Amino acid sequence: RITSRQDGAGSNGFFGGDSITSVDKYPNRAGQTGTKTITIPRDAKGGPKEAGGVGQDRANFKELRDRLMKKIQSDKSMKRFARNLNFTETREGMRIDLIDEANFSMFISGTDILTPDAINLLQQVAETVRGLPNGLIIRGHTDAQQVSPALGTNNWKISSARAEATRAHLVRSGISDSQFLRIEGVADREPHFPKNPYDPKNRRMSLTLGWRTVSP
């Protein structure tokens, strides 16, 4: 399922430099319409309980983060992309943001065509998350720069198309199509840097490994 959402999870970094216990401050919604339901048991403070599937997921997510960063940092051709990865715990699960910057783009400008660097980076991510029992949510983001109407598209269409292109490449890289929960495009509505909506770092692909469904 591919959708263009106008409300949802924002970003700001959790593991993205800090620890696995940092929490996304944006209003994520667990169990949104999709092919599967994600249920997170809540503790007294409103956070996920350290029990059952969620507790194990937390441990798995930390191991995944460490393994992925080690893979990339040990590869001379990929090491420079370590700074383009950000890891955040959200109400939906662990989100991996693949972030653009001035000298790195996931896609050719104005298109849904992955760049060679992005293909290599996604391959590393796919090899790390492949086989996990957690569902995947793919979310495309743009910055606030509007696409020329002459191109016959807009940021909603581009963000959705890029999310689908990312999903398709992950499938080619060995991830089962049945693992995907939702494919979404949110245009520029969830900026990584809200104070500067035109910052290229607002262009990113978010891959969220959802919490497994567990009984409260």
Side-chain angles (χ1 to χ4, degrees):
R1 170 175 177 165
I2 306 172
T3 60
S4 292
R5 286 195 322 131
Q6 298 187 32
D7 57 341
S11 67
N12 255 355
F14 145 52
F15 297 97
D18 293 318
S19 79
I20 189 120
T21 57
S22 303
V23 178
D24 184 10
K25 298 178 182 178
Y26 287 73
N28 300 286
R29 296 178 182 175
Q32 290 177 321
T33 302
T35 56
K36 299 180 183 178
T37 298
I38 305 170
T39 302
I40 309 174
R42 317 308 295 173
D43 62 20
K45 297 181 181 179
K49 290 181 180 179
E50 292 290 346
V54 172
Q56 185 60 56
D57 281 345
R58 270 210 172 98
N60 291 345
F61 291 165
K62 183 178 187 302
E63 181 183 352
L64 179 150
R65 184 265 184 185
D66 293 344
R67 189 166 70 249
L68 178 56
M69 293 305 292
K70 184 176 180 180
K71 256 175 85 76
I72 288 175
Q73 290 174 337
S74 64
D75 185 332
K76 290 182 179 180
S77 66
M78 297 297 296
K79 188 174 182 179
R80 64 190 176 97
F81 299 120
R83 64 185 181 185
N84 298 100
L85 292 174
N86 194 71
F87 300 79
T88 307
E89 180 181 328
T90 76
R91 291 173 64 90
E92 293 175 308
M94 185 189 76
R95 189 177 67 235
I96 307 172
D97 286 309
L98 285 67
I99 303 170
D100 280 17
E101 57 181 351
N103 62 352
F104 168 73
S105 294
M106 289 286 294
F107 295 87
I108 295 174
S109 180
T111 77
D112 61 353
I113 302 172
L114 287 158
T115 64
D117 285 338
I119 289 173
N120 291 336
L121 186 56
L122 281 173
Q123 181 65 36
Q124 298 291 324
V125 173
E127 290 175 1
T128 307
V129 305
R130 190 165 53 210
L132 288 179
N134 311 83
L136 273 170
I137 299 168
I138 309 297
R139 191 170 289 140
H141 304 262
T142 68
D143 58 23
Q145 183 67 46
Q146 297 301 307
V147 181
S148 170
L151 296 177
T153 189
N154 58 50
N155 284 344
W156 289 105
K157 290 180 180 179
I158 283 181
S159 60
S160 298
R162 288 176 173 180
E164 165 55 16
T166 298
R167 183 207 63 81
H169 186 73
L170 291 173
V171 170
R172 289 194 295 271
S173 299
I175 292 182
S176 171
D177 193 56
S178 64
Q179 190 171 352
F180 295 95
L181 302 175
R182 295 195 304 278
I183 310 298
E184 303 175 333
V186 297
D188 61 340
R189 302 305 171 90
E190 298 173 5
H192 197 60
F193 294 99
K195 293 183 179 179
N196 183 6
Y198 294 95
D199 191 311
K201 294 185 180 67
N202 289 319
R203 299 193 304 264
R204 64 199 191 281
M205 294 305 307
S206 297
L207 284 62
T208 299
L209 286 158
W211 303 109
R212 284 175 290 171
T213 302
V214 291
S215 300

